[in-house]
Amino acid sequence: MAAEMAPRVLPLPRQQSFGPPTVPNPFVHPGRLGAGDKLRSVLQGIILLPLRATCIVFILLLAWLFASIAIFCQRGRGSVPLKGWRRRMIRTTLSGLTRTAFFIMGFQVKVKGKVASLPEAPIFVAAPHSSFFDAIVCALTGMPSIVSRAENLSTPVFGTILSSLQPVAVSRQDPDSRKSTVAEITKRALSRGQWPQILIFPEGTCTNRSCLITFKQGAFVSRVPVQPVLLRYPNKLDTVTWTWQGYSFKVLCLLTMCQLFTRVEVEFLPVHVPTEEEKNDPILFAYRVRQTMATALNVPVTDHTFEDCRLMISAGQLTLPMEAGLVEFTKISKKLNLKWKHVREQLDTFAAIASASKGGRIGIEEFADYLKLPVTDVLKELFLLFDRNGDGTIDFREYVIGLSILCNPANTEETIQMAFKLFDMDDDGTITEKEFASIIQSALGLPELDVSMLFKEIDADETGKLSYDEFKNFALKHPEYASLFTTYLDLQRHQVDLSDEHDSESFQSKHSPVRSTALVSEITPTARNKVCPEGNEEDSSSTSDKKDD
């Protein structure tokens, strides 16, 4: 019986690069105000809020007027750079009005370092990006072009002001928008001064400044020097951080304008001139710039990206803890060749399994219930392969990696055909419940196991027999079973190898179907020989999916 077999000790090496990040969730900022902070904000706001709001509206209207004049009757709007008096108007008036607006809102701006000129650095890269108030960098750098959503250009007042900066527009409706955006940034950066400098927030989304997430490559593909710009908000009360979970845009604006002052530090680091190696590798270029900025900020770096935000929100919609979606998607997808759609579907499956557990993690009991199997040594072994940190539970990150490394590679057409032949003992092209139970019972070492529920789930047409198509469809949707099938076959081979070591007539016994059958419970000689052909040494490669991780 499988339960009586000597336990196998499988090496479980873990690639450190797959380990979870040690930093807190960078996309949330609770920002709870104490009773004293609330009272102080209300009392200050009674006087400050109406005065500041009135002034800001007036400044916005002035900025809209100057922006309208600058782009009035402009030829080739958006495709031809502003020149002459138009560009000077933007640099002087809008820059001055933006500084004035921040001053009226109570911002005390401290600038460190020197702003690089256009020939020195065509691109500014600013981080960490944590607030819409980061726009102060525009005023300090002479109102450069920025990267903005195309939808923003159509908003009243603000859209006109934004258009005067000639932004690089990103369209969500255009599937090729990312490529065209990178191409436009490159064209402008290499224009030799025809276009203004470009300001880019390479993180691509807002964080809580606890770390620097992955930099997108758009600012680094053009292979030109960039100037890193650091942003700090050293305030006791944080009313500026705008993340995916926390205060809304309106609330943060109100809270900030109700404070006497808000400190912000902007530091311009020395220009980073790319080496030949970095010019040929934008990923390396981005990594080194990020490392320089993280060192200056004294914060860690992580491989989180905007896709993690999307997964985090999806996890919350599935009643999972929002942190469940933080898998460092871009890094894992590159290593394991994963697609967004597949990972999103896996989140749905994970949520269905974890719904019965507290904390959004899968325990051995939930894992067994999902597979409609009891907790056995074989199932514990499979669970252990998923449980990368050995804490007795599987989080979504471990689930994604486990499916990609352990299950999906094993769930090939060849494996499914092999498993079907294993179950189809009488070679009639179908699997009865008795045949199905015989193999499952032997694989798990439980001769009395009731597998009727699992069989009925696979038997889609309710004929009492499983066709190959039914078996294949189920296997593709539940790749976890592939590892159970291959584990069972490994157990067979393991026992055959052990018998060969101690049997003086190893050659004869190895070719005896009766001997093979005696080692693996009550499997018929036909099934044994069909699935594990005699003397086939190549079969040992079937465990490679458990070693490569």
Side-chain angles (χ1 to χ4, degrees):
M1 302 294 291
E4 298 172 354
M5 294 177 181
R8 292 182 301 159
V9 179
L10 290 180
L12 298 177
R14 300 301 196 208
Q15 289 186 18
Q16 192 171 1
S17 59
F18 275 141
T22 57
V23 301
N25 186 345
F27 304 115
V28 299
H29 180 68
R32 297 183 179 88
L33 296 181
D37 294 325
K38 292 179 180 179
L39 179 61
R40 194 179 304 109
S41 297
V42 171
L43 294 177
Q44 294 171 171
I46 292 174
I47 300 175
L48 295 174
L49 187 58
L51 291 175
R52 286 175 170 173
T54 302
C55 292
I56 293 301
V57 170
F58 178 70
I59 289 174
L60 278 176
L61 291 176
L62 274 180
W64 170 81
L65 177 61
F66 282 111
S68 299
I69 294 173
I71 62 177
F72 181 71
C73 291
Q74 179 203 2
R75 295 181 179 179
R77 180 179 297 184
S79 60
V80 178
L82 290 175
K83 295 181 180 180
W85 64 269
R86 296 176 186 270
R87 179 59 193 161
R88 286 194 299 272
M89 178 180 289
I90 297 300
R91 287 183 61 90
T92 55
T93 58
L94 288 192
S95 179
L97 289 173
T98 302
R99 287 171 180 260
T100 303
F102 274 91
F103 175 77
I104 290 173
M105 285 189 291
F107 278 83
Q108 294 182 353
V109 184
K110 182 178 180 180
V111 180
K112 298 180 180 179
K114 179 184 176 182
V115 181
S117 64
L118 176 56
E120 291 175 318
I123 297 177
F124 298 107
V125 287
H129 185 26
S130 62
S131 175
F132 42 85
F133 291 123
D134 294 343
I136 185 62
V137 178
C138 287
L140 301 176
T141 52
M143 307 307 291
S145 295
I146 60 174
V147 178
S148 175
R149 290 187 305 164
E151 295 84 351
N152 293 337
L153 300 177
S154 60
T155 58
V157 181
F158 180 74
T160 302
I161 298 172
L162 188 60
S163 296
S164 69
L165 300 181
Q166 297 196 291
V168 178
V170 180
S171 174
R172 290 183 174 180
Q173 282 71 36
D174 183 5
D176 297 323
S177 179
R178 179 173 295 183
K179 292 182 180 179
S180 59
T181 299
V182 172
E184 181 66 20
I185 292 173
T186 303
K187 182 189 78 172
R188 296 191 184 190
L190 299 175
S191 66
R192 296 184 178 180
Q194 294 185 19
W195 287 91
Q197 288 166 289
I198 305 172
L199 172 63
I200 297 176
F201 293 90
E203 291 175 294
T205 189
C206 287
T207 70
N208 57 21
R209 298 190 300 278
S210 63
C211 62
L212 291 184
I213 64 174
T214 299
F215 281 9
K216 294 182 179 296
Q217 300 174 36
F220 309 96
V221 172
S222 56
R223 310 196 297 180
V224 298
V226 301
Q227 182 172 36
V229 184
L230 307 181
L231 286 153
R232 301 182 182 91
Y233 293 90
N235 301 289
K236 183 178 180 182
L237 180 63
D238 186 356
T239 63
V240 300
T241 302
W242 187 38
T243 57
W244 292 86
Q245 187 181 43
Y247 288 128
S248 66
F249 173 86
K250 294 179 180 179
V251 172
L252 287 177
C253 284
L254 289 173
L255 286 173
T256 301
M257 288 199 290
C258 288
Q259 307 307 310
L260 287 176
F261 57 84
T262 301
R263 295 188 180 91
V264 56
E265 295 180 0
V266 181
E267 181 177 0
F268 293 89
L269 297 180
V271 173
H272 186 110
V273 180
T275 63
E276 286 301 318
E277 185 182 16
E278 291 168 351
K279 288 180 179 180
N280 296 324
D281 188 351
I283 296 177
L284 177 64
F285 190 5
Y287 173 81
R288 288 181 175 171
V289 171
R290 181 178 67 152
Q291 202 63 47
T292 298
M293 299 174 75
T295 301
L297 290 164
N298 194 28
V299 298
V301 297
T302 74
D303 291 300
H304 291 112
T305 54
F306 174 67
E307 284 72 21
D308 287 286
C309 293
R310 297 171 65 188
L311 284 172
M312 184 183 75
I313 294 172
S314 297
Q317 294 171 345
L318 295 170
T319 68
L320 289 171
M322 298 188 76
E323 288 76 9
L326 300 180
V327 298
E328 294 183 309
F329 173 81
T330 298
K331 179 178 75 172
I332 290 180
S333 64
K334 288 180 180 178
K335 280 181 166 289
L336 303 178
N337 195 27
L338 299 178
K339 302 299 181 184
W340 162 259
K341 180 181 178 181
H342 294 156
V343 174
R344 181 59 184 81
E345 291 173 350
Q346 289 169 359
L347 180 62
D348 291 336
T349 303
F350 179 85
I353 306 172
S355 60
S357 64
K358 295 181 180 180
R361 302 175 72 92
I362 300 174
I364 184 67
E365 296 293 341
E366 290 80 21
F367 194 65
D369 289 342
Y370 168 67
L371 296 177
K372 292 182 173 59
L373 296 172
V375 177
T376 62
D377 289 341
V378 175
L379 194 66
K380 287 179 180 178
E381 184 179 272
L382 176 59
F383 185 85
L384 180 62
L385 292 173
F386 275 85
D387 181 15
R388 305 182 64 80
N389 61 1
D391 67 352
T393 62
I394 301 172
D395 61 20
F396 181 57
R397 182 191 184 90
E398 292 172 320
Y399 183 72
V400 170
I401 295 173
L403 285 180
S404 303
I405 294 178
L406 303 170
C407 300
N408 291 329
N411 209 36
T412 61
E413 181 80 24
E414 181 182 1
T415 303
I416 295 173
Q417 290 177 354
M418 180 181 67
F420 186 81
K421 291 180 180 179
L422 175 72
F423 285 103
D424 184 16
M425 297 179 181
D426 57 7
D427 240 348
D428 66 348
T430 60
I431 302 172
T432 65
E433 184 172 341
K434 183 177 180 181
E435 291 173 327
F436 184 78
S438 176
I439 297 298
I440 294 294
Q441 289 167 355
S442 296
L444 299 179
L446 296 174
E448 305 300 326
L449 175 64
D450 183 5
V451 297
S452 57
M453 289 184 61
L454 178 58
F455 185 84
K456 289 178 181 178
E457 183 170 342
I458 306 176
D459 186 16
D461 58 6
E462 300 181 355
T463 59
K465 291 185 178 182
L466 305 181
S467 66
Y468 176 72
D469 288 338
E470 287 177 317
F471 188 82
K472 178 181 177 181
N473 290 336
F474 182 82
L476 291 175
K477 292 179 181 178
H478 300 80
E480 296 88 351
Y481 287 96
S483 287
L484 288 177
F485 297 151
T486 54
T487 297
Y488 173 65
L489 295 174
D490 293 343
L491 286 171
Q492 289 184 320
R493 298 186 187 100
H494 176 75
Q495 291 301 314
V496 171
D497 292 341
L498 286 180
S499 66
D500 290 346
E501 293 177 6
H502 301 292
D503 196 331
S504 59
E505 299 178 14
S506 60
F507 181 84
Q508 183 177 0
S509 63
K510 182 177 181 181
H511 290 73
S512 170
V514 178
R515 176 60 174 166
S516 299
T517 307
L519 291 169
V520 293
S521 187
E522 300 176 1
I523 309 301
T524 65
T526 305
R528 168 66 178 92
N529 291 337
K530 284 193 305 176
V531 178
C532 300
E534 300 168 3
N536 188 353
E537 296 178 358
E538 294 181 357
D539 286 345
S540 61
S541 63
S542 64
T543 59
S544 62
D545 56 302
K546 301 173 186 175
K547 297 176 183 176
D548 293 341
D549 180 14

